């Protein structure tokens, strides 16, 4: 188990190198530059800015210097649009906010989606199943950029229950968490229902019922463990998708997370900030997938680690 976990973690390193190279190339071939504005910058000023940030160096030298600073010092470089601030400082301030939003949204998704999936499975083809899967279908169908204004309109502007934006008290967190977590909850509900239906039809479930166990014990003690295997497989990419998918949520609700900075950096062509945020997102995605792969063996004893 430990050797497999170490191999999975070490495999992240070459993948991150490929991600860094690909992102560096993509941001450089996009038309425009970090100092392009509607009002033209004087030529002399443009030359001084290019010299300060080494943008007048050959592209390969820029890539080599950036990669060397990252490997040796963990330095992602300065930002072009935030004077006197580095990419490391912005990520250090914004990553905890994005992680907090992602964790609460995933908790909301699990608490909401798993019960809906269980109800749909044990009450298959009844009105409860239809209602549960109907809610899940709505959650999957409505995009976040539509759901967010609707939540604001109803719960902020009409009922005055929660603030419109920011990330300060628990009341500020409710609407962003629901907006980010509802599509994931819908997907988890469908995965839970499918997994539970497959397990409920198994021989060992029929044996447990034949022994006289209550339906509650059969579902919670025997069927649920196997029925949640698809959900466990989804947790790694699901949590990473929450962080990436929260770009829209953070921008709409004005949350100071990495997503908001990434959108602004992409708009402003802030090369270093775009590459830094993408590296963090890529690392988190690969790390969560590795953790899920290892955890899968603890849940399903049929899995062999190679």
């Amino acid at each position: 188990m430990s050797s497999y976990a170490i191999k999975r973690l070490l495999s992240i390193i070459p993948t991150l190198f490929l991600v860094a190279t690909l992102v560096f190339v993509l941001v450089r071939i996009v038309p425009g530059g970090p100092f392009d504005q509607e009002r033209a910058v004087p030529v002399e000023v443009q030359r001084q800015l290019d010299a300060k940030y080494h943008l007048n160096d050959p592209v390969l030298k820029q890539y080599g210097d950036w990669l060397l600073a990252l490997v040796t010092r963990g330095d992602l470089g300065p930002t072009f649009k935030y004077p006197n601030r580095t990419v490391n400082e912005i990520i250090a301030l914004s990553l905890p906010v994005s992680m907090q939003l992602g964790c609460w949204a995933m908790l909301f998704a699990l608490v909401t989606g798993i019960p809906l999936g269980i109800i749909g499975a044990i009450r298959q083809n009844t009105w409860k199943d239809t209602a549960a899967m109907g809610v899940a279908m709505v959650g999957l169908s409505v995009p976040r950029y539509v759901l967010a204004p609707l939540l604001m309109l109803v719960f902020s502007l009409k009922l005055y229950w929660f603030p419109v934006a920011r990330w300060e008290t628990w009341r500020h967190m409710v609407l962003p968490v629901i907006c980010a977590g509802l599509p994931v909850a819908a997907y988890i509900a469908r995965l839970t229902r499918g997994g539970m239906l497959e397990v409920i039809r198994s021989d060992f479930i029929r044996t447990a019922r034949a022994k006289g166990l209550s339906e509650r014990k059969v579902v919670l003690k025997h069927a649920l463990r196997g029925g949640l295997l698809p959900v466990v497989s989804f947790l790694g990419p699901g949590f990473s998708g929450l962080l990436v998918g929260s770009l829209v949520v953070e921008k709409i609700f004005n949350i100071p997370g990495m997503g908001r900075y990434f959108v602004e950096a992409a708009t402003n062509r802030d090369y270093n900030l775009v590459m830094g945020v993408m590296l963090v997102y890529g690392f988190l995605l690969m790390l969560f997938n590795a953790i899920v792969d290892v955890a899968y063996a603890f849940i399903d004893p049929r899995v062999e680690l190679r």
Side-chain angles (χ1 to χ4, degrees):
M1 179 65 72
S2 59
S3 60
Y4 175 78
I6 292 173
K7 289 179 182 178
R8 287 290 285 113
L9 293 176
L10 290 178
S11 66
I12 294 177
I13 298 176
T15 310
L16 274 181
F17 172 75
L18 294 177
V19 171
T21 304
L22 180 62
V23 174
F24 183 90
V25 172
L26 290 177
V27 296
R28 286 304 194 281
I29 65 177
V30 172
F35 303 110
D36 292 346
Q37 301 176 359
E38 294 182 1
R39 185 176 181 179
V41 178
V43 178
E44 187 61 30
V45 175
Q46 182 71 44
R47 289 176 180 173
Q48 293 179 2
L49 290 172
D50 290 343
K52 177 181 178 181
Y53 293 103
H54 304 285
L55 295 177
N56 52 359
D57 293 341
V59 176
L60 288 179
K61 186 177 185 304
Q62 294 182 43
Y63 175 69
D65 293 341
W66 177 81
L67 190 62
L68 181 63
L70 175 62
V71 173
T72 57
R73 304 191 305 273
D75 184 10
L76 292 168
T79 64
F80 300 138
K81 292 298 181 179
Y82 299 94
N84 302 321
R85 298 184 68 183
T86 64
V87 176
N88 295 57
E89 293 173 349
I90 291 179
I91 291 178
L93 291 174
S94 59
L95 178 59
V97 177
S98 295
M99 291 292 291
Q100 190 177 12
L101 173 60
C103 290
W104 282 114
M106 179 57 75
L107 180 62
F108 168 80
L110 291 172
V111 171
T112 306
I114 291 177
L116 286 177
I118 294 174
I119 292 173
I122 63 179
R123 296 290 185 267
Q124 185 183 10
N125 299 327
T126 64
W127 69 269
K128 293 182 179 179
D129 181 20
T130 303
M133 291 303 100
V135 173
M137 184 60 66
V138 172
L140 287 173
S141 302
V142 180
R144 290 185 174 97
Y145 61 82
V146 174
L147 181 60
L150 290 177
L151 292 174
M152 289 180 175
L153 179 63
V154 175
F155 295 103
S156 297
L157 302 180
K158 295 294 184 181
L159 300 177
Y160 302 103
W161 287 358
F162 305 107
V164 175
R166 299 300 299 167
W167 187 262
E168 297 171 0
T169 66
W170 68 269
R171 297 181 69 249
H172 292 82
M173 302 177 183
V174 173
L175 295 185
V177 167
I178 294 175
C179 184
L182 188 59
V184 182
Y187 196 75
I188 289 176
R190 294 174 66 87
L191 288 176
T192 304
R193 181 180 182 273
M196 289 289 293
L197 286 176
E198 182 177 353
V199 173
I200 286 175
R201 299 189 182 102
S202 301
D203 292 337
F204 73 94
I205 295 296
R206 285 193 288 268
T207 303
R209 285 172 174 162
K211 290 181 178 179
L213 296 179
S214 64
E215 188 67 18
R216 177 186 179 90
K217 185 172 292 187
V218 169
V219 172
L220 297 181
K221 187 176 180 180
H222 297 278
L224 188 58
R225 182 176 180 180
L228 289 182
L229 289 178
V231 177
V232 174
S233 300
F234 170 73
L235 287 182
F239 188 76
S240 303
L242 263 180
L243 294 178
V244 179
S246 298
L247 301 177
V248 175
V249 177
E250 292 180 6
K251 188 65 177 177
I252 293 177
F253 287 97
N254 196 27
I255 298 173
M258 280 202 313
R260 194 186 74 177
Y261 283 109
F262 178 76
V263 173
E264 295 176 356
T267 304
N268 297 327
R269 300 179 183 88
D270 195 333
Y271 299 151
N272 290 341
L273 188 53
V274 170
M275 291 188 294
V277 174
M278 286 300 297
L279 275 181
V280 173
Y281 279 142
F283 173 74
L284 292 176
L285 174 61
M286 288 178 274
L287 177 63
F288 293 143
N289 283 336
I291 293 173
V292 168
D293 288 344
V294 175
Y296 205 84
F298 287 100
I299 299 174
D300 190 355
R302 298 172 297 178
V303 174
E304 294 182 2
L305 296 179
R306 294 185 176 92

